[in-house]
Amino acid sequence: MSSRSPPLDSPEELDDFSDSGSDYEATIKGSRRRKKPVPGHPPKRPRRNAALRVTSSTINSPIPTPPPDPSQQQQQQPPSQGTSRQVSLRPVRNVDEGKQGITAKDIYDAVSSGKTAMVTVVDEWLDSYKQSREAGLLVLINFIVQSCGCKGVVSREMFDSMQNAEIISTLTKEFNEDSVNYPLCTPGPQLRRLKDGLREFARVLVRSCQNSLIYDEYLFPSLLALLTGLSDSQVRAFRHTSTLLAMKLMTGLVEVAVIVSVQLQTTQRRYDVENSKRAHDRASDRLEDLQATIRELQENREELSSMMNGTFRGVFVHRYRDCLSEIRAACIEELGIWLKTDPEDFLNDGCLKYLGWTLHDKQSPVRLQCARTLQGLYQEKEFIGRLELFTSRFKERILSMVLDKNPDVAMEAVNLCLLIQQNTEDGLTEEECGHIYPLVYAAHRALASAAGVFLYSKLKNVTASDNQEEDKSNNAAFLQILISFYIQSEFHEHGAYLVDSLWGVAGSELRDWETMTAFLLQEAGLMYEEEGALIELMMCAIKQAAQATPPVGRTQGKKILSMKDKKIQEQDRRRITAHFIPLVPQLLAKYSADAGKVSLLLKAPLYFELEMYSSAQWLEKHLDLLLSQICGIVEKHTEVTVLEACAHLANTLCSESYTFSSRAHLAFSQLLDGLTECFSSYLSDLLQGTADDDDTYNAATALKRIAVLSSAKDPTGLKLFDSCLELLKIRMESTELDKELMVSALKCAGFHLMWAKVNVVNSKPAEVELIGLKKDVRSFCRVCQTCLSLNQAEIRDEAFVLLCDLLLLYSVSSVRSEPALQTLVHLPSDSLRSELAAFLLDYVFTDTEDVELNGILTPNEKKSHLLLIKSKNEEETEISLLQRKRNQLAGYCKLIIYRVLDLTAATDVFKHYSKYFKDFGDIIKETVSKSKLINPIQSAKTVCLSLQQLFSEMLTDNRSRQDLSEIRDLAKRLAMSFGIDLHRVRKPLLALHKGGICFAFRDSQEDGERHPNVAFLEILSEFSFKLLQPDRTQLADFLKSECPSAALSWPSVRLYQRSLATHSTSKSREQEEGTDAFSSHHSPVAKRKRTTAQGSVSSTARGSWLNSSSIHSSLPTPALTSTVQRQPAKQLVSRNPRAPESDIDTGIREMESEDEFSSVPQMRKVNPTKRRLPSVTHTAPTLEPQDLNSHLSLLSLMEEDNAEREEPEIDDYESDSDSAYTLPSTRHTSASILDELFD
């Protein structure tokens, strides 16, 4: 309606106001004639003047003074009707006597505790306010001050005699300097309670005053004026708390304004209806009453609009770009409420631009709040038309946010894109949707689930359009298009992540086992690739339903299922079992020739309730079919993945916990007997060397199947150990190294010895059997030791892994609890220890290409081969090779941890800690940690020994000084492993240092050179920072006793001495500084004066904060507020009335017109650089108090002039960096979540 005055008329009007946040002045002029007071009634309030006082500067005007005797008007004013009960009037008390019923502390305790009904607190304060407005407002002001964490109190004298700026300045000096924390930033549940309490207090206060006190021209104008001044303070506590309260009060005012507008519209309609009647039917009294009500409501609306304008322009416009992210997020959160509550006034481009700019905020909490605010707007379909310009302008930025480095922001951005897709007319193009689809494979589960909802919505739209042409069931159509998506996404072997992303929204489709198996069993259903994709997705869905756990990488701690989830899991598992028991044999029979598909299908019975096989006689038939299919697959395939899947299933079916296990034992025993008979038929020819290639292949495949099945079933009864051992010896003597045959023979013999140990532990064998088993172990270890020097990588690697396992299985620690088995202990010989260490150096701690190509190709051929490998993109081979190396290193480290090898053997591992940290850092770090538990002193000596070996190698090879710095880097990394408990590591560190000092001054035995190792002291100095002061003194004396007097001046010795003396020197210096700081803290410190040349006000305001005392100085004095203070006489400085913008603002610069909002083609990050005005070096003249206002206006104009000269300097956008200034940017983030996930 025309009678409504919107709080924001247009974005251009913002240009008419100063950007300081405290010195703005509204240009509202009173143009309405005042009515003459009616006798017997209070005089009409001058509303325009009240509005002017609300929006006037907190510097230029004091808190408004009330009429002379408000208590006499008490009975004429109606009580507050904003609460559910009438406020009881209390006798008027003399406020100077301090007998007021409620205090600021009472309000703060009630608000911070959250245990008191806020309506009761507000009602009690309103009682005191109605008795004395000044005293009540003073209580409220002190409550705000206490909420800021300030120790100061606003006294009645300050209240009566000081302006807001002076009050804030006084409070700043009395602020709590004990800690940087304040109530709104204190971590813990107290923060949440206080924040919720402050919001509730502001909401209830406005609601309780909405019918009366909100228009008394004193309470809210005074309160908002104070909050506006505090929100412009350099003290973060003042700024944060006052902004939060001002924004919540603004929200309350918006709600009241909407109510008033509705009442105004209703009254106007009633007036129009009454006025449209014929003259003799009209009720003139009723028309007059309605007209008076309309005028009253219009005045109320205008007063509310004035207060909202003042708060918006005085607080929000400056604080939405504050340097504190919590303040910016609070502003954006409340802006979203205003937009939804009062769309007529706020939902326009002038307000939406703040949301668009804040999408580019450096801090993720602000971007998160902005995305959530926009979701609330896009959910309302009636708002979509008003959001068209915003959508076209900022859609690119919203799409780039789905790759935000904060996964929560990315998740909310995906949800926002879904709303845009569903509710806007244009939606998102297929190319734009392509930015979101891959996120279903992201590691962050919430983000992936949000992307899954987006993908599901898109797929359902496609299936809905397809079903109009073809008559298909919804689930079948959905599965077909999901299969197509999975194939086209090219992220194969990650089906579990796709299923988990869709599980919450497409659970019914993914649990449709009937449709899935119908697709797989029909003859002319799916293409070959589609069948493989469906089998993979089906198996992932079966696992997800049966285990109710997300895939690896998406779990956040151990999740305990609720009773409801457990019930759903049990029901799903029963459904899976009942459906698949008869169908699994059919599926295995159809796909038995396909290794990839059958290896997936063999996992299905692992998720069954296998007891169901024994529940009915007709189900036993399906068990027999399953066992026969498994045996047939073993005889048909030689791929390791298929054979391992069969072995895993066989191990499960043979478990003694099932009543049908005897059937499974019988079936697999018969299978093993047949394979053993096949192998034995070729054994004599193999031993005699007369077997042809076919015989060798048949024997190798049979032995390979036996070896894989031996991991699940005891093979000791097959008596193959001696045959395999003899075969290995003959093959190595004849140098006929058949890879498949020898690897299988090694596995069979190794599994035989492992199962034999298990059988020995579970029974009581005779001594003869133990001696024979130990002899077999010794013989097999000798064979494996010989294999370590072979040129076949597969044989060599298998021998190393088996050696590590058997040495650990037959070690001293493994039989410590069984004294009768001491005979079985087998310790590695010295030669075997050397061979194991050499294997590490030759094949683990070396580059991948060197292992594969060393000794095979010439350097030029090797280079071209490497280029060929990279061109073929064989990343999977590199990953599997790295995994194999990690397993080998872990096996060796376990021998050290379980004391099979001495701690000195760890030197070969420790000295590669830094160089191979990326590949093996976690394994080596754990080994270092475990070695300290075994023997701390010996572990420290081992660390020192590893560094000594590297140093000696450096001297032997005559390498450069750069290698010494690399050894020092390794020493730094190893020094960090000693932890922070310096008392616990005193003895180990002393032993390390003494050993290093002795090594440094050891003479060379070869050429007689004196002290060639003295540079080792530089490496040793990296451990000095962990020493306690008594140990430093002891080591300094030890150094002098070991070091010749002439060597004390050598650089390395002097460096080590300084490392021993640094701690004590720095400690004494810190004590001196601490004494100075203490004395300065307890003595009055004058506040730092900010001098500003008249000609460079803006440049100083923009840049001087980088050198301000609030950042760099150690003085405990808090920073000044930004309000102008009265200067004492003869003070030759000019005070900048405005806070340095860089300290308060994030630098998201406003585009001050709607034209810029709608027409700028791209948004960029800008580091503002100024065209500096010529600096004036002379000091400003003395300012008298009466000249402050004119000087303030001059400074404001100068700042505005400088703001117009600003030049943007374009830079790349990077989320969450600490840069001070940011302009909106539509550039996509450089790092992709998927790149990080699948790198």
Side-chain angles (χ1 to χ4, degrees):
M1 292 178 61
S2 60
S3 61
R4 297 179 61 181
S5 175
L8 298 175
D9 299 325
S10 68
E12 288 80 356
E13 289 188 6
L14 296 177
D15 296 339
D16 299 332
F17 293 87
S18 170
D19 197 31
S20 69
S22 64
D23 57 343
Y24 68 93
E25 290 192 19
T27 57
I28 303 175
K29 297 181 179 180
S31 59
R32 192 177 65 236
R33 293 182 179 179
R34 297 185 183 178
K35 292 184 178 181
K36 295 181 180 180
V38 181
H41 295 278
K44 191 67 177 177
R45 299 185 300 270
R47 299 185 182 278
R48 295 280 185 174
N49 293 342
L52 201 68
R53 285 199 294 272
V54 174
T55 56
S56 63
S57 170
T58 57
I59 299 172
N60 299 334
S61 64
I63 297 176
T65 56
D69 191 6
S71 61
Q72 295 179 359
Q73 303 177 11
Q74 177 78 27
Q75 298 177 356
Q76 298 178 8
Q77 294 178 352
S80 172
Q81 299 175 6
T83 60
S84 58
R85 63 169 183 247
Q86 295 294 329
V87 180
S88 60
L89 300 178
R90 298 182 180 181
V92 179
R93 300 174 183 174
N94 189 350
V95 296
D96 294 332
E97 295 177 0
K99 298 179 181 179
Q100 201 67 16
I102 189 168
T103 63
K105 186 177 185 304
D106 296 334
I107 301 177
Y108 179 77
D109 292 341
V111 168
S112 60
S113 65
K115 297 179 180 179
T116 308
M118 204 58 66
V119 174
T120 305
V121 177
V122 173
D123 284 352
E124 190 171 352
W125 176 82
L126 285 174
D127 288 345
S128 64
Y129 177 78
K130 290 176 181 179
Q131 294 168 15
S132 174
R133 295 200 297 185
E134 290 178 328
L137 182 59
L138 187 59
V139 169
L140 193 58
I141 291 174
N142 280 315
F143 158 68
I144 295 172
V145 172
Q146 188 172 356
S147 300
C148 296
C150 180
K151 289 182 176 179
V153 176
V154 181
S155 64
R156 184 58 181 268
E157 291 75 13
M158 295 170 59
F159 181 77
D160 291 336
S161 61
M162 289 186 179
Q163 298 177 348
N164 281 348
E166 295 170 322
I167 292 175
I168 295 172
S169 176
T170 304
L171 292 175
T172 300
K173 297 175 183 178
E174 299 175 0
F175 199 84
N176 179 11
E177 302 169 5
D178 297 339
S179 172
V180 296
N181 290 330
Y182 53 95
L184 276 184
C185 74
T186 304
Q190 177 68 18
L191 168 63
R192 185 67 182 175
R193 286 198 300 267
L194 177 61
K195 188 176 291 186
D196 293 342
L198 288 174
R199 290 172 173 172
E200 180 69 8
F201 179 82
R203 185 186 68 82
V204 174
L205 178 62
V206 176
R207 183 167 296 182
S208 300
C209 301
Q210 64 180 347
N211 296 324
S212 57
L213 295 180
I214 202 171
Y215 309 112
D216 73 346
E217 302 177 4
Y218 179 71
L219 173 60
F220 279 86
S222 303
L223 184 59
L224 291 174
L226 178 68
L227 291 176
T228 302
L230 286 172
S231 71
D232 195 46
S233 171
Q234 286 182 333
V235 179
R236 183 169 292 184
F238 284 157
R239 218 167 57 244
H240 189 180
T241 310
S242 60
T243 302
L244 178 65
L245 284 171
M247 293 296 96
K248 291 309 295 184
L249 289 175
M250 173 78 169
T251 301
L253 293 176
V254 171
E255 294 173 353
V256 174
V258 171
I259 294 173
V260 171
S261 299
V262 172
Q263 292 174 349
L264 182 59
Q265 293 174 2
T266 304
T267 308
Q268 185 67 47
R269 284 197 301 268
R270 292 168 61 189
Y271 176 82
D272 294 339
V273 170
E274 189 68 27
N275 194 36
S276 63
K277 295 179 181 179
R278 289 178 294 183
H280 64 275
D281 292 334
R282 292 177 192 165
S284 58
D285 295 339
R286 180 174 176 80
L287 282 176
E288 291 179 3
D289 292 341
L290 290 174
Q291 197 168 8
T293 304
I294 289 174
R295 284 196 300 269
E296 182 72 18
L297 291 173
Q298 286 175 344
E299 291 174 0
N300 292 347
R301 174 64 192 183
E302 290 173 2
E303 189 162 340
L304 289 169
S305 298
S306 297
M307 288 190 286
M308 289 190 293
N309 269 304
T311 306
F312 188 89
R313 295 170 176 177
V315 181
F316 176 84
V317 169
H318 309 290
R319 297 286 67 78
Y320 89 95
R321 54 189 179 184
D322 193 277
C323 68
L324 189 64
S325 61
E326 289 87 346
I327 296 178
R328 303 199 299 274
C331 291
I332 295 303
E333 180 181 3
E334 298 306 315
L335 177 61
I337 299 175
W338 308 338
L339 293 169
K340 292 188 69 174
T341 304
D342 191 5
E344 295 296 328
D345 291 327
F346 286 92
L347 192 57
N348 52 56
D349 297 335
C351 291
L352 287 172
K353 66 181 181 182
Y354 297 108
L355 289 178
W357 297 339
T358 316
L359 286 172
H360 304 262
D361 197 281
K362 296 278 185 177
Q363 299 298 320
S364 56
V366 185
R367 300 195 301 273
L368 180 66
Q369 185 58 57
C370 194
R372 288 173 176 170
T373 299
L374 287 173
Q375 288 178 34
L377 299 179
Y378 279 97
Q379 285 172 354
E380 306 294 335
K381 293 189 177 181
E382 59 269 20
F383 292 171
I384 298 301
R386 299 173 182 239
L387 292 168
E388 286 183 359
L389 180 60
F390 179 88
T391 305
S392 62
R393 179 66 183 83
F394 292 103
K395 184 166 68 172
E396 183 181 355
R397 171 58 188 156
I398 293 172
L399 284 170
S400 70
M401 287 174 65
V402 302
L403 298 180
D404 196 279
K405 66 184 194 177
N406 185 298
D408 294 328
V409 177
M411 176 189 69
E412 298 297 346
V414 171
N415 293 333
L416 179 57
C417 290
L418 177 60
L419 292 173
I420 294 175
Q421 168 70 18
Q422 292 176 339
N423 296 335
T424 59
E425 184 177 352
D426 297 333
L428 300 177
T429 65
E430 195 60 35
E431 181 182 359
E432 291 169 341
C433 293
H435 293 288
I436 304 173
Y437 293 152
L439 295 177
V440 295
Y441 299 101
H444 192 269
R445 195 180 188 196
L447 172 59
S449 298
V453 175
F454 184 92
L455 174 63
Y456 178 79
S457 174
K458 191 70 175 177
L459 296 183
K460 292 298 284 186
N461 290 337
V462 175
T463 55
S465 60
D466 292 345
N467 282 347
Q468 294 177 357
E469 303 173 0
E470 302 179 15
D471 186 17
K472 291 184 178 180
S473 68
N474 292 333
N475 288 359
F478 177 81
L479 287 173
Q480 278 192 321
I481 195 168
L482 180 62
I483 291 168
S484 300
F485 170 80
Y486 181 56
I487 294 173
Q488 294 173 11
S489 66
E490 299 181 357
F491 288 113
H492 301 160
E493 300 182 4
H494 295 287
Y497 296 91
L498 175 60
V499 169
D500 182 62
S501 300
L502 293 169
W503 195 251
V505 67
S508 59
E509 289 88 345
L510 294 173
R511 289 184 177 93
D512 190 358
W513 319 120
E514 293 80 5
T515 303
M516 294 180 184
T517 50
F519 270 132
L520 293 173
L521 291 175
Q522 63 185 3
E523 293 300 326
L526 302 174
M527 303 291 290
Y528 175 81
E529 190 177 11
E530 293 176 338
E531 287 179 340
L534 178 57
I535 289 174
E536 183 175 355
L537 292 176
M538 182 181 71
M539 294 311 305
C540 293
I542 290 174
K543 181 179 180 181
Q544 184 89 3
Q547 294 185 344
T549 55
V552 177
R554 285 192 180 171
T555 54
Q556 296 179 351
K558 188 175 181 181
K559 182 181 178 182
I560 301 177
L561 295 179
S562 63
M563 294 301 297
K564 181 180 179 181
D565 292 337
K566 287 182 180 179
K567 187 176 181 180
I568 294 174
Q569 178 191 6
E570 293 172 359
Q571 292 175 351
D572 286 341
R573 196 160 187 168
R574 283 195 295 269
R575 284 188 59 241
I576 291 169
T577 305
H579 177 75
F580 280 96
I581 277 181
L583 295 181
V584 165
Q586 300 177 36
L587 293 170
L588 290 175
K590 180 176 180 180
Y591 297 102
S592 60
D594 192 313
K597 295 173 183 176
V598 79
S599 60
L600 290 172
L601 290 170
L602 284 168
K603 297 178 182 178
L606 300 176
Y607 308 110
F608 291 176
E609 285 188 353
L610 294 175
E611 297 88 350
M612 196 174 290
Y613 276 113
S614 306
S615 61
Q617 188 173 0
W618 64 275
L619 291 175
E620 294 180 358
K621 175 185 66 175
H622 297 296
L623 175 62
D624 295 336
L625 290 174
L626 176 62
L627 292 174
S628 63
Q629 286 295 333
I630 296 172
C631 294
I633 291 170
V634 170
E635 294 173 348
K636 188 180 296 185
H637 287 275
T638 58
E639 289 83 357
V640 176
T641 56
V642 178
L643 295 177
E644 287 179 349
C646 292
H648 192 188
L649 182 54
N651 182 54
T652 303
L653 295 175
C654 291
S655 175
E656 300 296 336
S657 59
Y658 303 119
T659 56
F660 58 81
S661 60
S662 58
R663 292 191 176 204
H665 275 294
L666 178 61
F668 293 120
S669 296
Q670 292 175 352
L671 175 63
L672 282 173
D673 290 342
L675 293 173
T676 303
E677 184 178 350
C678 176
F679 171 70
S680 300
S681 63
Y682 301 105
L683 181 60
S684 58
D685 292 338
L686 291 172
L687 296 177
Q688 296 172 7
T690 58
D692 57 14
D693 292 342
D694 291 339
D695 293 342
T696 303
Y697 174 78
N698 292 333
T701 53
L703 197 59
K704 183 177 183 179
R705 294 184 177 113
I706 295 171
V708 175
L709 290 176
S710 296
S711 63
K713 190 167 175 57
D714 185 3
T716 53
L718 302 177
K719 307 296 183 183
L720 289 176
F721 177 78
D722 294 334
S723 302
C724 292
L725 195 63
E726 188 176 357
L727 179 62
L728 288 169
K729 291 178 180 179
I730 291 176
R731 285 286 170 169
M732 285 188 292
E733 290 173 359
S734 63
T735 66
E736 294 181 7
L737 304 177
D738 186 274
K739 181 181 67 176
E740 290 285 341
L741 184 63
M742 293 192 66
V743 169
S744 301
L746 283 170
K747 284 185 177 180
C748 279
F751 279 127
H752 177 93
L753 295 176
M754 294 177 192
W755 279 102
K757 174 66 183 299
V758 173
N759 295 334
V760 164
V761 172
N762 294 332
S763 62
K764 294 182 179 180
E767 187 68 20
V768 178
E769 294 182 20
L770 297 178
I771 295 174
L773 180 57
K774 183 175 181 179
K775 182 180 178 182
D776 292 341
V777 172
R778 189 182 298 112
S779 301
F780 182 72
C781 287
R782 278 199 291 265
V783 171
C784 289
Q785 182 177 350
T786 307
C787 291
L788 292 180
S789 58
L790 297 179
N791 200 27
Q792 289 285 344
E794 288 82 357
I795 302 174
R796 190 174 60 228
D797 293 341
E798 189 63 36
F800 183 84
V801 172
L802 287 172
L803 272 173
C804 293
D805 291 340
L806 289 173
L807 289 175
L808 185 61
L809 197 60
Y810 287 88
S811 64
V812 175
S813 60
S814 67
V815 297
R816 186 172 294 127
S817 60
E818 299 286 342
L821 301 180
Q822 292 293 333
T823 309
L824 290 178
V825 173
H826 174 71
L827 299 177
S829 61
D830 294 338
S831 60
L832 180 56
R833 296 170 193 263
S834 301
E835 289 276 358
L836 292 173
F839 183 92
L840 277 187
L841 300 177
D842 293 340
Y843 304 112
V844 175
F845 292 117
T846 185
D847 294 333
T848 302
E849 295 82 4
D850 294 341
V851 174
E852 298 296 330
L853 307 176
N854 194 20
I856 301 176
L857 303 176
T858 64
N860 290 333
E861 291 174 340
K862 185 186 296 186
K863 183 177 181 180
S864 62
H865 184 75
L866 292 179
L867 293 175
L868 181 62
I869 288 178
K870 292 181 180 179
S871 65
K872 291 181 179 179
N873 194 22
E874 296 183 351
E875 295 180 0
E876 294 184 3
T877 305
E878 293 181 4
I879 292 174
S880 62
L881 181 59
L882 176 60
Q883 187 61 43
R884 190 174 69 192
K885 287 183 176 183
R886 286 175 59 85
N887 290 337
Q888 293 165 354
L889 178 61
Y892 186 84
C893 290
K894 281 192 288 186
L895 296 180
I896 298 172
I897 293 171
Y898 289 95
R899 308 185 190 186
V900 178
L901 300 178
D902 297 333
L903 276 180
T904 53
T907 55
D908 296 317
V909 178
F910 292 172
K911 61 187 180 183
H912 295 96
Y913 187 27
S914 183
K915 184 177 181 180
Y916 293 93
F917 183 79
K918 180 180 178 182
D919 294 337
F920 312 118
D922 54 339
I923 299 175
I924 301 177
K925 181 179 179 181
E926 184 67 15
T927 306
V928 173
S929 176
K930 294 292 185 182
S931 68
K932 296 182 188 304
L933 299 178
I934 297 172
N935 190 329
I937 295 178
Q938 188 61 35
S939 174
K941 291 181 177 179
T942 304
V943 168
C944 186
L945 180 60
S946 62
L947 296 172
Q948 292 172 12
Q949 290 178 359
L950 285 175
F951 185 83
S952 299
E953 293 172 7
M954 182 190 73
L955 295 181
T956 304
D957 299 341
N958 294 322
R959 283 181 280 180
S960 63
R961 183 85 179 177
Q962 181 180 358
D963 294 284
L964 181 62
S965 64
E966 292 177 359
I967 302 175
R968 291 188 65 174
D969 291 338
L970 172 61
K972 290 179 184 177
R973 199 179 288 274
L974 290 172
M976 298 304 295
S977 67
F978 283 88
I980 60 175
D981 189 354
L982 303 185
H983 291 278
R984 187 172 59 86
V985 296
R986 286 186 66 181
K987 292 183 179 179
L989 281 173
L990 273 175
L992 184 147
H993 277 271
K994 289 182 177 179
I997 292 172
C998 293
F999 173 78
F1001 294 105
R1002 184 186 306 163
D1003 294 336
S1004 175
Q1005 298 178 357
E1006 298 177 358
D1007 51 8
E1009 181 184 355
R1010 290 187 58 79
H1011 312 309
N1013 303 331
V1014 72
F1016 185 78
L1017 291 176
E1018 298 182 25
I1019 301 171
L1020 199 61
S1021 66
E1022 301 296 342
F1023 295 89
S1024 298
F1025 75 100
K1026 291 284 185 180
L1027 291 169
L1028 296 176
Q1029 188 55 40
D1031 299 333
R1032 293 170 182 268
T1033 306
Q1034 181 180 348
L1035 286 174
D1037 297 338
F1038 183 77
L1039 176 66
K1040 292 178 181 178
S1041 64
E1042 293 290 325
C1043 174
S1045 57
L1048 289 174
S1049 60
W1050 293 352
S1052 299
V1053 179
R1054 294 177 62 186
L1055 186 148
Y1056 182 66
Q1057 286 179 321
R1058 285 197 301 271
S1059 72
L1060 294 178
T1062 299
H1063 182 73
S1064 59
T1065 306
S1066 62
K1067 186 174 181 180
S1068 61
R1069 187 183 303 118
E1070 288 174 2
Q1071 289 176 349
E1072 293 175 3
E1073 292 177 356
T1075 305
D1076 295 340
F1078 180 81
S1079 61
S1080 65
H1081 177 76
H1082 289 276
S1083 61
V1085 180
K1087 286 192 176 288
R1088 183 179 61 87
K1089 303 284 194 297
R1090 288 187 298 157
T1091 58
T1092 306
Q1094 289 182 350
S1096 59
V1097 174
S1098 179
S1099 61
T1100 305
R1102 301 281 181 180
S1104 63
W1105 71 279
L1106 290 174
N1107 299 320
S1108 66
S1109 62
S1110 63
I1111 297 177
H1112 297 288
S1113 175
S1114 61
L1115 292 176
T1117 309
L1120 281 172
T1121 62
S1122 62
T1123 51
V1124 175
Q1125 302 177 40
R1126 297 182 184 272
Q1127 302 293 340
K1130 300 181 181 180
Q1131 183 178 352
L1132 299 179
V1133 289
S1134 168
R1135 299 295 299 273
N1136 188 347
R1138 181 183 170 197
E1141 185 172 328
S1142 300
D1143 185 50
I1144 300 178
D1145 301 342
T1146 61
I1148 302 178
R1149 312 310 311 157
E1150 278 193 61
M1151 301 178 194
E1152 292 290 354
S1153 71
E1154 219 170 300
D1155 295 336
E1156 290 176 312
F1157 167 68
S1158 59
S1159 63
V1160 179
Q1162 283 189 344
M1163 298 185 295
R1164 303 160 294 179
K1165 176 196 169 191
V1166 178
N1167 289 336
T1169 59
K1170 302 281 187 178
R1171 292 176 181 168
R1172 305 285 184 184
L1173 292 177
S1175 243
V1176 182
T1177 57
H1178 64 273
T1179 58
T1182 303
L1183 291 177
E1184 297 299 331
Q1186 60 267 26
D1187 295 331
L1188 285 176
N1189 293 339
S1190 59
H1191 185 64
L1192 171 65
S1193 302
L1194 175 62
L1195 292 180
S1196 301
L1197 291 174
M1198 293 172 68
E1199 286 188 352
E1200 290 174 1
D1201 181 61
N1202 280 350
E1204 294 174 357
R1205 299 172 179 237
E1206 192 173 304
E1207 279 188 350
E1209 179 182 351
I1210 301 174
D1211 196 3
D1212 291 335
Y1213 172 81
E1214 181 180 354
S1215 290
D1216 272 357
S1217 65
D1218 292 328
S1219 177
Y1221 289 92
T1222 311
L1223 263 187
S1225 163
T1226 54
R1227 300 187 181 184
H1228 294 270
T1229 52
S1230 59
S1232 170
I1233 296 176
L1234 294 174
D1235 292 341
E1236 295 175 0
L1237 178 62
F1238 298 110
D1239 188 8

